[in-house]
């Protein structure tokens, strides 16, 4: 994401703060942060200013002094936050603050600043729009403040009315032949006010059109009439005069240049300032007012009112709805007047620019839609026949229909009108097809035209639909000379781009037939493409199997009737029909596509193979298959048929028999045919990824996938081949969703699939065998001797396994690759050695991509999921699978130790130890029966074991030894996090079998939690006392007991407890309310404790401990953000900043992080922020006033040293150093535990190290600070080494700081 420009940082920060304050104020009646933002610029009461406008006869509300840029940014930030209010009480702060700004908007000026240009489209429009939107949104949220909002809007309307009236009375050239002085070189201020009013009205109209539901019907009608009076002819004339004066002004004043720049900017964004732009905004508001009367609020918000009305029951409900005839009549008259105005000025509009035409068409479209709404409500107020005449008149004008927005409104309005009356629908069923055929409109409107015709035909008999389809189909049977010869333009442009070509199309005098006659220079492909799309749309929307079969058959029969471009369009469009049609027609179409694709490759048909359009880059048949892949439903019975067809087609390419001299295979042609199917198959898997493993015929699909891969390898789709590199993306997707090539289900499989599968013998010849072996040797150079001894099927099998495993590794999947060891053929040393080499190469590729740190799917949490799968495979019943799994797990944990610091991986490891122990215990418990499948309910871990208990015991011994080495390796670099996870595992155990219960996983967790890490130099230095070996088991149990105490605090309700579901609603709400009160009390207590600590007042350790544990208990269970509690939980230990407080804080922080991982980032950010505060305040090891006295520079006395004074001074130094020492231990452990987890965590550490290293020059001068100094440098080196996203400049900067900080210790005399 591109960072914001430096001058936008404050604006973005204000908007973010305001939005977060509005969204996160659930726990308090009013947001304190919003109150602070409102107090930045308190509004003063407005006063009447009769001299505010030149020539005015009535006083208007005068604006304040020019608004500063910062105030404008604050107001807009508050306004945008108003749409995110979480409670009505916050509206009491925003509405009184913003309501004073709205009446001043038409006259508001701003202090000069170059950054005003960043407000789009202008600061005046943005100011009015945001303030109005904020008032309307806050008024909806706080209904009891609605009167204040309407008062502010009335004041704004009063100001605008007065200004517009005075503008209409203004005479620029003077009242009596008096010329305005300086007219040629300056811009009169009263004309600037006219333009400013117009821009402000644009923002106001857009805002009220967006939230028109705020007003009731009477208020909307009154507001529409008032705005119509404001936009009178006099004001429009004054506005055009002001704009003309501005364009002709030749002065060099700054104000003239700025106004010209704003006018040019509006023209550049396709909204030229003028009366037409104001009319467009007014008619958009009118259309919004009428749409509320006929459609629900959801349809208005999504802008699909006309689509909502295209339903006969909806129209009937509207007609049965009681509505005010007077209100509807007023709105209909205004819409009719605007339509008449546009029609009357059509000749004048021809002289305007293209964007003025576009605005005029938008005004006309809003007028037609508004009149349609009124017609549905009251036919007597808005005559539907008059509307039909308007729509048909517009439909017959190709210039107007060239505008997409107007054409969309006209077509959808015709569809709605057709549903109101069968007679209207009957007439439209003849006129709309004629327009589709002879209109020559933009092809982007083809779906809308088809949908319109389908809606019209839905109320008519089926015979009419069939007649219409045949009439449209007859158009595709043209035998004109241009079509028989073939239009060159059509052949190279199958994309059917829009061209307003209407010359040469002759309308038949009789309305019963539809036909075309083209001149020699016409491009008929546009019309043909539209007709084809219409046939497909009408048939598919009818949802009639027979109608769809008829349309599909008719279109297929038209292939080769016109030209190749039309054939390509039919091929792509008929794919949509097949999805909605019957299964038999679907299968026949797939066979047709296969034949067409083969013939196109043989005949080198460039149109069917390639296309000039980006969306059809691989040919029209390929585009049709892609459309099926994208649109087919995963629940349809055609899904598995289509998937099986693609796989079977891939398998069928090439020679299915052993090659000999009498039968040759065109491998290149087969490879090209396979390549045509890879993209549709990959898209099918991607779009319907949730269904890829849930087919009804999983075994059959799995076999087809396996054989398809074998055939692809035979025909050159390897990692390094040209086909493999060209289709690398599609092959990765297919490999990701393909099932293992060897299923795990058969236990009694004696013969190998390598020996039985005939696909592995395709294209087998001495030359091809040699080529395949050489290719595999290049991929596995260490297995050259083994590969040379393999047969051709074995080489193809290994090559396929390598390609699939390698591609899966690049998509983040390692678990499925181990199933390849299940084949009995792998008992041989050669095959087994090659398979182990493939596994090693695959995991190396996976690690290379993971260590880059640039892919979210390869972050540590995802690696932990793969590690869990590998742990399960380490206990597999087949020894070869275990060897491969141990190999992969060893390499992953060695390179990415943070993967074992995740819940899913370490919990799976511990559960597997318990499961394996239980399975071995069965040898003594179950004498006659044995269980092959063992499952853990905790982590949903399931393994299937053999009946050989000796092998089970060997597996358990090996797995236990490996688990111990893995956990110890990670424990040495991340001891706090690993012990925290082990405590979490112990605390989550259920109570089943509490007495006399033995679980190897729990015993292992306690054993590892008691180990002293080798990196802990202090504890590791303690010598062994006799035969007793020490450990940290006491500290581990103490922290575990403490966590259990606040984790199961009964005074705090758990929102996830199941017993709450059985209580009635009132009791449930009462419980939640009581819990909220307790949370508020806890928050206030913590705030008092932190204030006392920051004020250096004594804080009882018991009170602080109880408050922090209570906060930790809430954070362990909550599903909300709870930013305030996190702030206090971290801030209080830092405010006290003693060894005991930091130790208590680290214990609680780690407990919360491991119990509720979503709090991890918030806690880490707070720790980093408070750590930086200690650096700035010179606390702890950064306390530079601690003077160390060198013994060689003090007075020498022949007397015993004062040991008490020395110990006191040493203790004082220890008290200063200890807090930072504990924090550095925590940060170092957590850095290794979160490495490659998140880019943002890495940035937190990077920033923190820069801050710390910059201040290492002034650390405490004491020999006891040596260890802290070393730990800081060591942590900095680790951050530098494992940084994945830092640029070279940042890395060199960090290196410089590390070296400077390291050498700073030696800058002073020896200590």
């Amino acid at each position: 994401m591109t960072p914001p420009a430096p001058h936008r940082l404050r604006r973005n920060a204000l908007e973010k703060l305001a939005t977060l304050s509005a969204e996160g104020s659930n726990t308090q009646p009013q947001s304190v942060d919003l109150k602070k933002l409102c107090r930045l610029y308190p509004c003063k009461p407005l006063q009447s200013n009769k001299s505010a406008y030149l020539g005015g006869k009535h006083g208007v509300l005068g604006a304040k002094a020019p608004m500063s840029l910062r105030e404008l940014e604050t107001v807009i930030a508050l306004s945008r936050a108003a749409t995110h209010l979480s409670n009505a009480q916050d509206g009491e702060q925003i509405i009184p603050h913003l309501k004073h700004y709205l009446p001043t908007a038409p006259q508001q000026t701003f202090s000069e600043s170059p950054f005003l240009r960043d407000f789009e489209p202008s600061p005046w429009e943005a100011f009015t729009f945001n303030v109005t939107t904020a008032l309307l949104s806050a008024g909806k949220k706080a209904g009891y403040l609605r009167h204040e909002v309407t008062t502010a809007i009335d004041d704004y309307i009063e100001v605008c009315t007065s200004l517009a009236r005075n503008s209409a009375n203004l005479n620029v050239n003077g009242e009596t032949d008096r010329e305005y002085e300086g007219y040629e070189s300056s811009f009169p201020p009263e004309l600037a006010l006219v333009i400013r009013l117009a821009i402000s009205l644009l923002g106001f109209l857009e805002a009220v059109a967006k939230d028109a539901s705020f007003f009731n019907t009477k208020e909307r009608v009154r507001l529409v009439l008032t705005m119509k009076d404001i936009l009178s002819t006099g004001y429009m004339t004054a506005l055009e005069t002001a704009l003309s004066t501005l364009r002709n002004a030749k002065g060099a004043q700054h104000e003239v240049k700025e106004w010209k720049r704003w006018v040019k900017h509006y023209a550049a964004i396709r909204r030229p300032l003028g009366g037409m732009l104001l009319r467009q905004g007014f008619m958009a508001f009118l259309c919004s007012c009428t749409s509320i009367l006929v459609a629900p609020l959801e349809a208005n918000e999504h802008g699909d009112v006309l689509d909502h009305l295209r339903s006969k029951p909806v129209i009937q409900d509207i007609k049965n709805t009681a509505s005010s005839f007077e209100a509807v009549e007023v709105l209909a008259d205004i819409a009719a007047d605007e339509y008449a105005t546009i029609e009357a000025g059509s000749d004048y509009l021809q002289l305007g620019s293209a964007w003025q035409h576009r605005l005029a068409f938008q005004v006309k479209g809003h007028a037609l839609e508004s009149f349609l709404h009124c017609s549905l409500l009251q036919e007597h107020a808005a005559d539907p026949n008059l509307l039909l005449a308007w729509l048909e008149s517009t439909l017959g004008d190709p210039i107007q229909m060239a505008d997409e927005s107007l054409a969309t409104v006209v077509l959808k309005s015709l569809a709605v009108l057709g549903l109101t009356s069968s007679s209207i629908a009957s007439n439209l069923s003849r006129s709309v097809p004629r327009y589709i055929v002879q209109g020559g409109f933009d092809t982007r409107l083809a779906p809308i035209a088809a949908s319109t015709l389908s809606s019209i035909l839905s109320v008519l008999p089926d015979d009419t639909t069939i007649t219409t389809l045949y009439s449209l189909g007859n158009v595709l049977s043209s035998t004109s000379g241009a079509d028989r010869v073939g239009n060159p333009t059509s052949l190279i442009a199958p994309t059917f781009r829009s061209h307003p070509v209407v010359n040469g199309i002759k309308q038949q005098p009789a309305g019963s037939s539809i036909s075309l006659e083209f001149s020699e220079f016409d491009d008929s492909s546009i019309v043909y493409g539209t007709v084809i799309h219409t046939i497909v749309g009408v048939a598919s929307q009818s949802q009639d199997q027979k109608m769809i079969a008829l349309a599909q058959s008719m279109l297929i029969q038209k292939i080769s009737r016109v030209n190749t471009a039309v054939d390509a369009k039919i091929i792509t469009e008929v794919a949509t029909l097949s999805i909605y049609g019957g299964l038999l027609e679907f299968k026949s179409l797939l066979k047709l596509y296969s034949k067409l694709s083969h013939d196109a490759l043989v005949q080198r048909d460039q149109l069917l193979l390639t296309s000039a359009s980006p969306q059809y880059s691989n040919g029209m048949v390929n585009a049709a298959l892609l459309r099926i892949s994208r649109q087919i439903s995963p629940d349809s019975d055609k899904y598995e048929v289509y998937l099986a067809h693609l796989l079977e087609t891939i398998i069928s390419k090439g020679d299915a028999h052993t090659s000999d001299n009498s039968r040759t295979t065109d491998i290149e042609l087969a490879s090209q045919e396979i390549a045509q199917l890879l993209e549709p198959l990959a898209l099918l898997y991607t779009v319907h990824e949730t269904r890829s493993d849930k087919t009804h015929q999983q075994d059959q699909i799995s076999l087809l996938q396996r054989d398809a891969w074998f055939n692809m390898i035979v025909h050159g789709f390897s990692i390094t081949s040209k086909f493999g590199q060209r289709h690398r993306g599609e092959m990765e997707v297919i490999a990701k969703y393909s099932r293992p090539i060897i299923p795990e289900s058969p236990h009694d499989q004696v013969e190998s699939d390598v020996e039985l599968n005939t696909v592995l013998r395709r294209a087998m010849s001495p030359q091809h065998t040699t080529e395949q072996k050489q290719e595999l040797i290049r991929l596995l150079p260490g297995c050259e001797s083994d590969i040379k001894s393999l047969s051709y099927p074995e080489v193809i099998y290994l090559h396929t396994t390598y390609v699939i495993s390698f591609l899966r590794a690049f998509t983040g999947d390692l678990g499925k690759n181990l199933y390849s060891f299940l084949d009995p053929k792998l008992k041989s040393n050669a095959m087994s050695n090659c398979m182990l080499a493939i596994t090693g190469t695959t995991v190396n590729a996976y690690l290379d991509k993971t260590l880059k740190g640039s892919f979210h799917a390869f972050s540590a949490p995802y690696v932990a999921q793969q590690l869990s799968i590998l742990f399960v495979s380490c206990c597999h019943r087949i020894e070869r699978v275990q060897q491969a799994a141990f190999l992969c797990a060893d390499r992953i944990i060695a390179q990415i130790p943070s993967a074992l610091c995740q819940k899913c991986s370490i919990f799976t490891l511990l559960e597997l130890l318990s499961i394996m122990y239980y399975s071995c215990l069965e040898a003594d418990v179950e004498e006659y029966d044995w269980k092959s499948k063992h499952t853990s309910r905790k982590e949903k871990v399931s393994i299937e074991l053999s009946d050989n208990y000796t092998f089970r015991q060997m597996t358990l011994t090996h797995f236990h030894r490996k688990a111990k080495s893995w956990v110890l390796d990670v424990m040495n670099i991340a001891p706090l996090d690993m012990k925290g996870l082990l405590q979490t595992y112990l605390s989550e155990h259920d109570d089943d079998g509490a007495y006399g219960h033995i679980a190897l996983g729990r015993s292992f967790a306690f054993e590892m939690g008691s180990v002293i890490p080798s990196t802990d130099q202090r504890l590791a230095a303690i010598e062994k006392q006799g035969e007793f070996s020490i450990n940290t088991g006491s500290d581990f149990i103490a922290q575990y007991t403490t966590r259990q105490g606040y984790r199961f605090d009964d005074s705090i309700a758990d929102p996830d407890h199941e017993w709450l579901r059985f209580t009635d609603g009132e009791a449930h709400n009462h419980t939640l309310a009581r819990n909220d009160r307790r949370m508020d009390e806890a928050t206030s207590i913590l705030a008092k404790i932190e204030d006392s600590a920051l004020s250096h007042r004594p804080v009882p350790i018991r009170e602080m401990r109880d408050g922090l544990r209570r906060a930790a208990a809430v954070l362990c269970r909550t599903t909300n953000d709870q930013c305030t509690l996190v702030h206090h939980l971290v801030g209080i230990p830092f405010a006290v900043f003693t060894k005991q407080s930091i130790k208590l804080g680290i214990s609680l922080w780690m407990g919360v992080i491991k119990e509720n991982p979503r709090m991890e980032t918030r806690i880490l950010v707070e720790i980093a922020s408070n750590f930086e505060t200690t650096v700035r305040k010179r606390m702890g090891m950064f306390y530079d006033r601690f003077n160390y006295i060198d013994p060689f520079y003090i007075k020498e006395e022949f007397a015993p040293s004062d040991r008490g004074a020395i110990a006191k001074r040493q203790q004082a130094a220890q008290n200063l150093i200890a807090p930072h020492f504990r924090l550095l231990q925590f940060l170092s452990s957590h850095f290794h535990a979160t490495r490659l987890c998140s880019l943002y965590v890495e940035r937190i550490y990077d920033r923190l190290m820069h801050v710390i290293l910059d201040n290492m020059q002034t650390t405490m001068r004491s020999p006891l600070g040596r260890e802290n100094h070393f730990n800081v440098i060591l942590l900095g080196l680790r951050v530098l080494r494992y940084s994945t996203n830092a640029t070279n400049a940042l890395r060199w900067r960090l290196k410089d700081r590390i070296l400077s900080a390291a050498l700073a210790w030696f800058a002073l005399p020896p200590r």
Side-chain angles (χ1 to χ4, degrees), residues 1145-1210:
I1146 290 175
S1147 176
L1148 296 176
W1149 304 336
M1150 190 60 68
V1152 173
I1153 288 174
K1154 300 309 176 185
E1155 295 286 347
N1156 193 357
R1158 67 187 303 271
M1159 291 292 171
E1160 179 178 11
T1161 308
R1162 295 185 181 276
I1163 291 177
L1164 186 60
V1165 169
E1166 289 289 341
I1167 292 173
S1169 176
N1170 283 276
F1171 200 112
E1172 293 180 12
T1173 302
T1174 63
V1175 175
R1176 290 194 302 268
K1177 292 184 176 181
R1178 300 295 174 190
M1179 300 169 62
M1181 63 177 289
F1182 298 95
Y1183 185 69
D1184 54 356
R1185 297 184 182 179
F1186 187 88
N1187 296 322
Y1188 170 71
I1189 302 176
D1190 194 332
F1192 294 98
Y1193 290 91
I1194 62 176
K1195 182 180 180 181
E1196 183 178 1
E1197 296 181 355
F1198 294 95
S1201 301
D1202 189 352
R1203 188 171 182 83
I1206 295 176
K1208 184 177 181 180
R1209 190 172 185 83
Q1210 181 179 356

Side-chain angles (χ1 to χ4, degrees), residues 628-647:
I628 296 176
S629 299
R630 190 179 296 108
Q631 296 180 0
I632 192 171
S633 173
D635 300 325
S636 172
D637 56 349
K638 303 180 184 67
Y639 177 84
E640 291 187 9
V641 172
Y642 181 56
L643 177 59
H645 167 78
L646 293 177
L647 296 173

Side-chain angles (χ1 to χ4, degrees), residues 756-1016:
L756 301 177
N757 198 309
T758 58
V759 182
L760 292 173
R761 292 176 172 79
R762 290 189 179 181
M764 186 170 63
S765 64
Q767 179 181 359
H768 198 202
T769 303
T770 304
E771 293 175 356
Q772 289 287 345
K773 287 185 177 181
Q774 291 176 352
E775 178 69 21
L776 192 58
I777 290 173
R778 282 195 295 268
L779 299 174
L780 304 173
C783 302
E784 181 176 358
S785 59
D786 294 323
I787 294 174
K788 288 182 178 180
S789 63
L790 300 176
S791 62
Y792 179 79
E794 292 172 344
V795 172
I796 297 299
Y797 177 85
L798 289 175
H799 197 175
T800 304
T801 304
Y802 179 90
V803 172
I804 297 177
S805 302
F806 192 84
L807 294 175
R808 279 180 183 154
F810 265 80
T811 61
D813 187 1
L814 287 175
K816 292 181 182 178
N817 299 336
L818 301 178
Y819 290 115
S820 302
F821 287 87
L822 299 179
D823 195 285
K825 192 70 175 178
L826 292 178
K827 293 180 181 180
S828 64
N829 291 331
M831 290 278 288
S832 181
N833 293 338
C834 292
M835 191 63 69
L836 285 175
I838 290 173
T839 303
T841 305
T842 300
V843 73
N844 289 337
Y846 178 81
L847 290 174
D848 290 340
K849 191 170 183 179
T850 303
L851 292 173
K852 293 180 181 179
S854 304
F855 307 95
H856 178 68
F858 288 81
S859 58
Y862 291 92
V863 179
Q865 295 177 7
Q866 296 300 315
L867 195 59
S868 301
I869 299 174
L870 293 176
F871 286 158
V872 175
S873 298
C874 288
C875 303
H876 201 272
R877 66 180 186 275
I878 297 179
E879 188 176 1
R880 296 186 302 274
V881 178
Q882 291 184 15
Q883 294 175 0
F886 279 121
L887 172 66
C888 296
D890 284 336
R891 295 188 182 182
I892 290 177
I893 295 175
Q895 295 290 330
I896 312 171
S898 58
L900 196 58
C901 293
Q902 304 292 326
K903 262 190 176 183
C904 65
S905 57
I906 188 64
F907 281 20
T908 302
L909 178 68
L910 298 173
E911 284 297 301
L912 285 172
L913 286 172
S914 298
I915 292 176
M916 290 301 302
Y917 175 78
Y918 295 146
S919 68
C920 294
L921 196 62
E922 284 183 357
D924 300 326
V925 177
E926 301 291 344
E927 184 176 358
Y928 300 104
D929 192 14
W930 65 279
K931 254 174 46 173
S932 62
K933 192 171 184 179
H934 296 263
T935 304
S936 170
R937 292 179 301 174
K938 189 172 184 179
E939 287 298 312
K940 297 181 180 179
V941 178
S942 180
I943 57 175
E944 194 168 352
L945 304 173
S946 67
D947 58 350
N948 189 342
Y949 287 100
T950 303
F951 183 72
R952 291 189 185 185
Q953 186 64 44
M954 293 174 54
T955 301
L956 174 59
T957 303
H958 191 197
F959 185 67
H960 182 271
R961 184 171 61 252
K962 281 289 186 179
K964 190 172 184 179
S965 65
W966 292 333
V967 174
L968 285 178
D969 290 342
V970 179
M971 183 77 72
N972 290 332
I973 60 175
L976 297 180
D977 290 81
M978 180 56 69
K979 291 185 177 182
L981 282 171
L982 295 176
Q983 291 170 3
T984 303
Y985 175 78
L986 293 174
S987 64
E988 291 184 357
H989 187 71
D990 53 19
D991 295 331
D992 295 342
Y995 296 98
H997 183 66
I998 298 176
L1000 182 59
R1002 291 175 62 81
S1003 302
F1004 181 82
F1006 175 72
E1007 179 187 355
M1008 293 295 101
S1010 304
V1011 170
I1012 298 177
S1014 61
T1015 54
D1016 193 335

Side-chain angles (χ1 to χ4, degrees), residues 388 392 422-433 456 460:
L388 180 61
E392 290 182 339
S422 58
S423 59
I424 295 178
S426 179
N427 293 330
L428 292 177
S429 66
R430 294 186 294 271
S431 60
V432 172
I456 294 170
L460 297 175

